[in-house]
């Protein structure tokens, strides 16, 4: 195999590939969870969440492909098995658990925020430790997409709370916006 000469050492490239594979694993778990919630959501918010999550899983699918291709661009191989994803992912499954619609949104907000924290760290490591500004820039773009998805999800559950049945709780149980 021809050696790769793109201005990064083998160690730098491998360090970035390891970060990217972790991001790929998290993206895959988040995709599966988003798809599952897309299928299982019920209640008055069904249509809006069903449509929002379809948009999100389409974006996540494109991001997964871009992550895998970035790994290949750097001469690595993307993790490609569920076992491999589960070993290196920072996100956790919630197998066998079907939360309320609001619980689903909350779980996804938490996952997106974890991914954002990871990507922030990986941007720094890619640029500072591994001197790969291209990957740092690539990861910044992914982070911005997750920030927007997290904002949309947070916006759904901010303000007035809904009970598991979709009804508003008793008077006085409202959550003020901006407090």
């Amino acid at each position: 195999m021809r050696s790769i000469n793109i201005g990064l050492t083998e160690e730098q490239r491998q360090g970035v590939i390891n970060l990217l594979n972790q991001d790929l694993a998290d993206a895959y778990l988040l995709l599966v969870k988003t798809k599952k919630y897309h299928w299982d959501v019920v209640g008055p918010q069904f249509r809006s969440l069903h449509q929002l999550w379809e948009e999100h899983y389409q974006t996540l699918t494109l991001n997964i492909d871009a992550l895998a291709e970035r790994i290949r661009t750097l001469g690595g191989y993307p993790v490609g098995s569920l076992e491999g994803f589960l070993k290196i992912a920072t996100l956790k499954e919630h197998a066998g658990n079907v939360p309320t619609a609001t619980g689903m949104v909350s779980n996804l907000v938490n996952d997106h925020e974890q991914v954002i924290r990871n990507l922030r760290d990986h941007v720094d490591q890619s640029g500072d430790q591994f001197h790969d500004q291209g990957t740092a820039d690539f990861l910044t773009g992914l982070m911005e997409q997750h920030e927007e998805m997290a904002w949309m999800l947070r916006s759904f559950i901010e303000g007035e709370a809904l009970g598991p049945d979709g009804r508003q709780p008793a008077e006085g149980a409202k959550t003020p916006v901006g407090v």
Side-chain angles (χ1 to χ4, degrees), residues 9-166:
T9 67
E10 174 66 26
E11 293 77 24
Q12 289 169 324
R13 284 188 303 104
Q14 191 57 55
V16 172
I17 289 165
N18 292 342
L19 296 175
L20 290 167
N21 265 316
Q22 184 184 62
D23 297 330
L24 177 64
D26 282 336
Y28 234 96
L29 260 66
L30 187 53
L31 171 70
V32 169
K33 196 177 292 184
T34 302
K35 275 269 199 185
K36 178 71 170 146
Y37 290 168
H38 168 81
W39 297 329
D40 290 346
V41 68
V42 295
Q45 347 39 356
F46 168 80
R47 185 155 177 82
S48 58
L49 286 175
H50 188 77
Q51 290 175 329
L52 178 65
W53 290 334
E54 182 175 355
E55 293 169 16
H56 286 190
Y57 73 65
Q58 289 172 348
T59 298
L60 291 167
T61 299
L62 294 173
N63 290 349
I64 286 168
D65 195 51
L67 280 159
E69 288 178 359
R70 182 74 190 164
I71 292 166
R72 291 296 296 135
T73 298
L74 295 170
Y77 288 91
V79 173
S81 71
L82 297 178
E83 179 183 5
F85 292 144
L86 290 171
K87 280 183 183 177
I88 63 174
T90 64
L91 301 182
K92 301 298 177 212
E93 286 189 302
H94 297 125
N97 181 14
V98 181
T100 64
T102 303
M104 291 174 180
V105 174
S106 181
N107 287 345
L108 292 176
V109 168
N110 291 337
D111 286 349
H112 279 282
E113 289 178 345
Q114 178 64 52
V115 167
I116 292 163
R117 289 189 302 274
N118 292 347
L119 287 170
R120 252 182 232 296
D121 181 51
H122 293 178
V123 166
D124 290 344
Q125 286 185 58
S126 294
D128 298 341
Q129 183 178 349
F130 300 120
H131 307 290
D132 184 354
Q133 300 307 325
T135 296
D137 183 59
F138 169 76
L139 293 175
T140 298
L142 291 180
M143 182 182 68
E144 290 169 346
Q145 290 181 25
H146 282 281
E147 287 172 337
E148 184 175 329
M149 287 186 272
W151 161 63
M152 289 182 181
L153 292 165
R154 274 192 310 273
S155 295
F156 187 86
I157 56 176
E158 287 177 350
E160 294 185 10
L162 294 178
D165 61 358

